[in-house]
Amino acid sequence: MNEIIEPLISEEEISKRIKEIAKEIMCDFTQGKITLICVLKGGVFFMVDLARSLEMQVEIDFMDVSSYGNSTVSSGQIKIDKDLENPITGKDVLLVEDIIDTGQTMVQILAHLRAQKPNTLKVCTLLDKPERRKVEGADFDYIGFTVPDEFVVGYGLDYAQKYRNLPYIGILRFE
Protein backbone atom coordinates (compact mmCIF):
# COMPACT_ATOMS: atom_id res chain seq x y z
CA MET A 1 0.00 0.00 0.00
CA ASN A 2 1.44 3.37 -1.07
CA GLU A 3 1.11 6.50 1.02
CA ILE A 4 0.32 9.71 -0.86
CA ILE A 5 0.39 13.22 0.64
CA GLU A 6 -2.09 15.71 -0.82
CA PRO A 7 -1.07 19.29 0.13
CA LEU A 8 -3.67 21.10 2.24
CA ILE A 9 -2.04 24.12 3.95
CA SER A 10 1.16 25.66 2.56
CA GLU A 11 4.25 26.64 4.52
CA GLU A 12 3.51 30.30 3.68
CA GLU A 13 -0.08 30.07 4.96
CA ILE A 14 1.14 28.49 8.22
CA SER A 15 3.76 31.20 8.76
CA LYS A 16 1.27 34.02 8.11
CA ARG A 17 -1.35 32.54 10.44
CA ILE A 18 1.17 32.02 13.27
CA LYS A 19 2.10 35.72 13.16
CA GLU A 20 -1.60 36.63 13.34
CA ILE A 21 -2.16 34.31 16.32
CA ALA A 22 0.91 35.77 18.08
CA LYS A 23 -0.59 39.27 17.79
CA GLU A 24 -3.88 38.02 19.31
CA ILE A 25 -1.99 36.38 22.19
CA MET A 26 0.04 39.51 22.92
CA CYS A 27 -3.19 41.54 23.08
CA ASP A 28 -4.68 39.07 25.58
CA PHE A 29 -1.58 38.41 27.72
CA THR A 30 -0.65 42.00 28.52
CA GLN A 31 1.50 41.17 31.56
CA GLY A 32 4.46 40.62 29.23
CA LYS A 33 5.17 37.05 30.38
CA ILE A 34 3.68 33.72 29.35
CA THR A 35 4.39 30.03 29.91
CA LEU A 36 3.90 27.91 26.81
CA ILE A 37 3.20 24.24 27.41
CA CYS A 38 3.76 22.15 24.33
CA VAL A 39 2.16 18.77 23.88
CA LEU A 40 4.85 16.56 22.37
CA LYS A 41 5.72 15.57 19.80
CA GLY A 42 3.43 17.07 17.19
CA GLY A 43 3.17 20.52 18.74
CA VAL A 44 6.92 21.28 18.80
CA PHE A 45 7.15 22.80 15.33
CA PHE A 46 4.15 25.05 15.98
CA MET A 47 5.25 26.06 19.49
CA VAL A 48 8.76 27.04 18.39
CA ASP A 49 7.50 29.23 15.56
CA LEU A 50 4.81 30.72 17.79
CA ALA A 51 7.30 31.48 20.60
CA ARG A 52 9.61 33.24 18.13
CA SER A 53 6.70 35.41 17.01
CA LEU A 54 5.78 36.53 20.54
CA GLU A 55 7.29 39.84 21.61
CA MET A 56 7.18 39.08 25.32
CA GLN A 57 8.98 36.95 27.90
CA VAL A 58 8.33 33.28 27.14
CA GLU A 59 8.93 30.25 29.34
CA ILE A 60 8.40 26.81 27.86
CA ASP A 61 7.63 23.38 29.23
CA PHE A 62 6.53 20.10 27.70
CA MET A 63 4.09 17.27 28.20
CA ASP A 64 4.18 14.02 26.29
CA VAL A 65 0.72 12.54 25.95
CA SER A 66 -0.20 9.68 23.66
CA SER A 67 -3.53 8.49 22.30
CA TYR A 68 -2.89 7.37 18.70
CA GLY A 69 -0.02 4.90 18.81
CA ASN A 70 0.59 3.85 15.19
CA SER A 71 -3.06 4.18 14.22
CA THR A 72 -4.87 6.91 12.30
CA VAL A 73 -7.66 6.98 14.92
CA SER A 74 -7.40 8.16 18.52
CA SER A 75 -7.92 5.42 21.09
CA GLY A 76 -9.73 7.83 23.42
CA GLN A 77 -7.39 6.79 26.24
CA ILE A 78 -4.49 9.08 27.06
CA LYS A 79 -1.27 8.27 28.78
CA ILE A 80 0.93 11.03 30.24
CA ASP A 81 4.41 9.85 29.34
CA LYS A 82 6.10 13.08 30.49
CA ASP A 83 4.63 15.66 32.83
CA LEU A 84 5.69 19.27 33.38
CA GLU A 85 9.09 19.95 34.89
CA ASN A 86 8.13 23.29 36.44
CA PRO A 87 5.12 24.27 38.54
CA ILE A 88 2.51 26.45 36.83
CA THR A 89 0.66 27.62 39.96
CA GLY A 90 -0.14 31.32 39.61
CA LYS A 91 1.30 31.56 36.08
CA ASP A 92 -0.30 32.69 32.85
CA VAL A 93 -0.27 29.55 30.73
CA LEU A 94 -0.94 28.81 27.09
CA LEU A 95 -1.30 25.16 26.15
CA VAL A 96 -0.04 24.68 22.59
CA GLU A 97 -1.45 21.74 20.62
CA ASP A 98 -0.96 20.59 17.07
CA ILE A 99 -4.53 19.37 16.50
CA ILE A 100 -7.81 19.00 18.35
CA ASP A 101 -9.72 16.03 17.00
CA THR A 102 -12.19 14.18 19.23
CA GLY A 103 -11.36 16.52 22.13
CA GLN A 104 -10.88 13.63 24.55
CA THR A 105 -7.16 14.20 24.97
CA MET A 106 -7.61 17.96 25.39
CA VAL A 107 -10.27 17.60 28.10
CA GLN A 108 -8.02 15.28 30.10
CA ILE A 109 -4.95 17.52 29.72
CA LEU A 110 -6.92 20.62 30.73
CA ALA A 111 -8.24 18.91 33.87
CA HIS A 112 -4.68 17.90 34.75
CA LEU A 113 -3.37 21.45 34.28
CA ARG A 114 -6.28 23.21 36.04
CA ALA A 115 -5.60 21.10 39.13
CA GLN A 116 -2.25 22.91 39.35
CA LYS A 117 -4.05 26.27 39.69
CA PRO A 118 -2.48 28.48 37.02
CA ASN A 119 -3.53 32.14 37.04
CA THR A 120 -4.72 31.86 33.44
CA LEU A 121 -5.02 28.79 31.22
CA LYS A 122 -5.77 29.21 27.53
CA VAL A 123 -5.45 26.84 24.60
CA CYS A 124 -3.92 27.42 21.19
CA THR A 125 -4.26 24.80 18.49
CA LEU A 126 -2.80 24.88 15.03
CA LEU A 127 -5.55 22.67 13.63
CA ASP A 128 -9.14 21.99 14.60
CA LYS A 129 -11.21 19.10 13.29
CA PRO A 130 -14.69 19.97 14.64
CA GLU A 131 -16.46 17.18 12.73
CA ARG A 132 -14.68 14.65 14.95
CA ARG A 133 -15.53 16.23 18.33
CA LYS A 134 -16.89 13.67 20.81
CA VAL A 135 -16.77 15.57 24.10
CA GLU A 136 -17.66 18.94 25.56
CA GLY A 137 -14.98 21.04 27.19
CA ALA A 138 -12.33 20.80 24.46
CA ASP A 139 -12.44 24.56 24.22
CA PHE A 140 -9.67 26.63 22.77
CA ASP A 141 -8.92 30.30 22.53
CA TYR A 142 -6.75 30.49 19.42
CA ILE A 143 -7.02 28.39 16.28
CA GLY A 144 -4.84 28.29 13.22
CA PHE A 145 -6.97 26.41 10.73
CA THR A 146 -10.10 24.30 10.60
CA VAL A 147 -9.44 21.13 8.63
CA PRO A 148 -11.71 18.47 7.16
CA ASP A 149 -12.21 15.04 8.69
CA GLU A 150 -9.09 13.61 7.05
CA PHE A 151 -5.86 12.26 8.49
CA VAL A 152 -3.34 15.10 8.21
CA VAL A 153 0.45 15.02 8.45
CA GLY A 154 3.34 17.44 8.23
CA TYR A 155 4.56 20.41 10.25
CA GLY A 156 4.91 18.19 13.32
CA LEU A 157 1.98 15.84 12.72
CA ASP A 158 2.90 12.27 11.92
CA TYR A 159 1.72 8.87 10.85
CA ALA A 160 3.73 6.13 12.57
CA GLN A 161 6.50 8.70 13.26
CA LYS A 162 6.77 9.66 9.56
CA TYR A 163 6.13 13.00 7.80
CA ARG A 164 6.65 15.31 10.82
CA ASN A 165 9.37 17.21 8.95
CA LEU A 166 7.21 18.28 6.00
CA PRO A 167 7.11 22.12 5.97
CA TYR A 168 3.41 22.07 5.03
CA ILE A 169 0.29 20.18 6.14
CA GLY A 170 -1.14 17.53 3.86
CA ILE A 171 -3.80 14.86 3.79
CA LEU A 172 -2.47 11.32 4.02
CA ARG A 173 -4.02 8.96 1.50
CA PHE A 174 -3.41 5.25 1.02
CA GLU A 175 -3.45 3.62 -2.43
Side-chain angles (χ1 to χ4, degrees):
M1 183 174 354
N2 291 328
E3 297 168 9
I4 308 288
I5 310 296
E6 177 184 312
L8 179 65
I9 304 169
S10 72
E11 183 176 7
E12 294 77 20
E13 290 172 299
I14 294 168
S15 179
K16 179 181 178 212
R17 184 65 185 124
I18 288 172
K19 287 176 177 57
E20 293 168 354
I21 292 170
K23 286 180 183 175
E24 293 175 39
I25 291 167
M26 289 184 295
C27 285
D28 292 345
F29 288 86
T30 57
Q31 316 79 310
K33 183 177 182 180
I34 191 170
T35 299
L36 302 180
I37 297 176
C38 176
V39 180
L40 296 171
K41 299 176 185 168
V44 170
F45 290 70
F46 178 41
M47 189 211 54
V48 166
D49 287 343
L50 181 63
R52 289 190 292 204
S53 296
L54 292 170
E55 296 172 10
M56 60 194 320
Q57 185 179 346
V58 175
E59 294 179 359
I60 62 171
D61 208 336
F62 300 92
M63 291 182 73
D64 190 3
V65 180
S66 55
S67 67
Y68 278 81
N70 287 335
S71 175
T72 60
V73 180
S74 175
S75 68
Q77 302 295 319
I78 75 157
K79 178 181 157 203
I80 297 178
D81 298 315
K82 181 202 175 306
D83 207 345
L84 301 176
E85 291 182 11
N86 300 303
I88 59 170
T89 304
K91 292 186 176 183
D92 293 314
V93 174
L94 181 67
L95 178 63
V96 180
E97 257 285 24
D98 55 356
I99 188 166
I100 297 178
D101 191 309
T102 65
Q104 293 169 306
T105 300
M106 180 58 54
V107 167
Q108 293 175 58
I109 292 172
L110 287 172
H112 178 75
L113 295 176
R114 283 186 186 116
Q116 298 178 48
K117 302 194 183 331
N119 181 47
T120 306
L121 177 59
K122 294 192 177 201
V123 177
C124 181
T125 184
L126 178 62
L127 303 176
D128 179 31
K129 219 188 261 191
E131 293 174 42
R132 302 262 308 144
R133 202 77 77 245
K134 290 185 177 179
V135 296
E136 302 266 333
D139 303 320
F140 43 87
D141 304 278
Y142 311 97
I143 178 173
F145 303 92
T146 299
V147 294
D149 186 11
E150 301 277 358
F151 195 83
V152 291
V153 295
Y155 197 72
L157 293 109
D158 75 300
Y159 168 68
Q161 299 300 323
K162 297 186 291 187
Y163 308 118
R164 285 190 198 279
N165 62 322
L166 295 176
Y168 61 92
I169 294 168
I171 298 171
L172 179 63
R173 305 242 189 249
F174 297 95
E175 290 187 352

